[in-house]
Amino acid sequence: MTPSRRSRAVRGYALAVVFLAAAVLVGAMAGAADLNPLATAAALVDRLPLVHLPGGLGPLDRAVLFQIRLPRVVLGALVGGALSLAGAGYQGVFRNPLVDSSLLGASAGAGLGATVAIVSLGGTAPAAVPVAAFAGSLAGVAFAYLAGTAGGRGTATLLLAGLAVSMFLTAVQTYLLQRSSQDIQRVYSWLLGSLAGATWHQVLEVLPYLAVSAAIVLLHGRHLDVLSVGDEEARALGLHPGRVRLAVVASCALAAASAVAVSGLIGFVGIVVPHAVRRLAGVSYRVVLPLSLLFGAGFLVLADTLARTVVAPAELPIGVVTALIGSPAFVWILRSTRAVRT
């Protein structure tokens, strides 16, 4: 890495850490209960290892902060980081900045899994919904990958197989909803995404899956850089494109499945954040992947803060907030991509 690229990456890491810390502070302080900003910041810093900083929060405010807001902030950061990292990983595999997990059957599979659980159980076992969404998401990506590799090993074939599987799973979901119209509201409430029920238990449930998948994807950053020059060139440099593609796709699928299981479907994070990171710090996946993780975490924490405060005491679905922000950004991505090609 040249000195200029290294300097650009260092600035990107510094900005990402500041952005995530600011997002966590805003998310912890904003809400119906009025918490003192300085006392809230002191209470958060006091939880860091080897740091003792007495704060001024009373028992009730501390309960609001550590039992209600902080689990939601931490879960939002995990979900946002996972979706953004998965999007960046998929874009590296397919050499296309407009790809994310929704194009490989992950979102459609999760939606179908959640719909089956809601329709068949009728709300008697809500704990089964995230499990069904997790299994459906992984199954959707697995079907897409098997269909894509059966038709050839090119990235275009795999992407087209993902689109076909997504359309098929969405059609099945629509059929189920048509036959169970009384469940439509509950299904769409889940599909639009929410972190309203976030708990420390959910954080601990998804953390191992996200940690393993994130570690594998981050370790493949250099391989994705090599893969970006083309499969033949990568083979000439000693890389096995098929193995790299399988490892990254499987890890991204696990990250996205874990995220949607606890949050519902949240769009645009996996497209907008990695593309903004490339504009900030360059195109090397050794930098894009970790920065996408950090910026994605901060982005979703801020989006969730907007979702629960802008129409308080009601809440907006977080998927609506990310779509309102992501749609204009997506148009900008299309325009900038066309400008580069011309």
Side-chain angles (χ1 to χ4, degrees):
M1 185 178 291
T2 64
S4 62
R5 289 184 177 180
R6 188 178 296 112
S7 175
R8 195 177 177 187
V10 169
R11 287 199 301 272
Y13 280 115
L15 185 59
V17 171
V18 171
F19 176 72
L20 178 56
V24 169
L25 278 176
V26 171
M29 289 187 292
D34 189 18
L35 302 183
N36 182 284
L38 292 178
T40 302
L44 293 175
V45 174
D46 186 53
R47 291 299 180 100
L48 297 176
L50 306 177
V51 176
H52 178 62
L53 189 62
L57 289 181
L60 181 59
D61 288 344
R62 292 182 69 84
V64 170
L65 175 62
F66 290 109
Q67 300 303 322
I68 298 176
R69 289 188 189 169
L70 208 54
R72 184 163 180 164
V73 168
V74 173
L75 190 64
L78 292 176
V79 170
L83 293 176
S84 181
L85 181 65
Y90 282 133
Q91 289 156 24
V93 165
F94 293 103
R95 298 191 284 269
N96 187 332
L98 303 180
V99 175
D100 74 348
S101 56
S102 64
L103 296 180
L104 275 185
S107 298
L112 177 58
T115 301
V116 170
I118 293 172
V119 170
S120 60
L121 299 175
T124 58
V129 176
V131 177
F134 178 81
S137 180
L138 289 180
V141 176
F143 287 147
Y145 193 86
L146 291 174
T149 52
R153 294 188 177 275
T155 56
T157 304
L158 189 54
L159 193 56
L160 290 173
L163 287 171
V165 169
S166 296
M167 294 174 66
F168 176 78
L169 296 177
T170 302
V172 175
Q173 180 191 6
T174 303
Y175 172 74
L176 291 176
L177 285 177
Q178 188 183 34
R179 292 181 58 86
S180 305
S181 57
Q182 69 276 12
D183 296 312
I184 287 179
Q185 184 175 0
R186 279 187 295 166
V187 171
Y188 275 103
S189 295
W190 186 89
L191 292 177
L192 291 173
S194 175
L195 296 171
T199 63
W200 287 119
H201 181 68
Q202 284 183 313
V203 171
L204 295 177
E205 276 186 335
V206 300
L207 188 58
Y209 300 103
L210 296 181
V212 171
S213 55
I216 295 174
V217 176
L218 292 174
L219 288 173
H220 281 80
R222 186 177 64 84
H223 295 161
L224 292 179
D225 282 340
V226 177
L227 203 60
S228 66
V229 299
D231 285 7
E232 293 301 324
E233 291 81 359
R235 288 191 188 92
L237 294 171
L239 195 69
H240 194 298
R243 292 175 186 171
V244 172
R245 194 168 292 128
L246 176 60
V248 175
V249 168
S251 301
C252 290
L254 180 60
S258 305
V260 300
V262 294
S263 66
L265 302 185
I266 300 175
F268 290 103
V269 180
I271 291 181
V272 174
V273 175
H275 197 82
V277 166
R278 288 189 193 91
R279 293 301 181 97
L280 174 69
V283 297
S284 171
Y285 280 94
R286 285 176 292 177
V287 178
V288 169
L289 292 175
L291 287 185
S292 295
L293 180 69
L294 295 173
F295 276 111
F299 173 78
L300 200 64
V301 170
L302 291 178
D304 182 56
T305 303
L306 281 174
R308 61 184 169 84
T309 57
V310 72
V311 293
E315 284 195 19
L316 285 173
I318 191 171
V320 172
V321 176
T322 57
L324 290 175
I325 299 173
S327 296
F330 191 70
V331 173
W332 171 67
I333 290 172
L334 291 176
R335 289 177 59 86
S336 61
T337 302
R338 185 176 61 181
V340 169
R341 287 177 177 174
T342 56

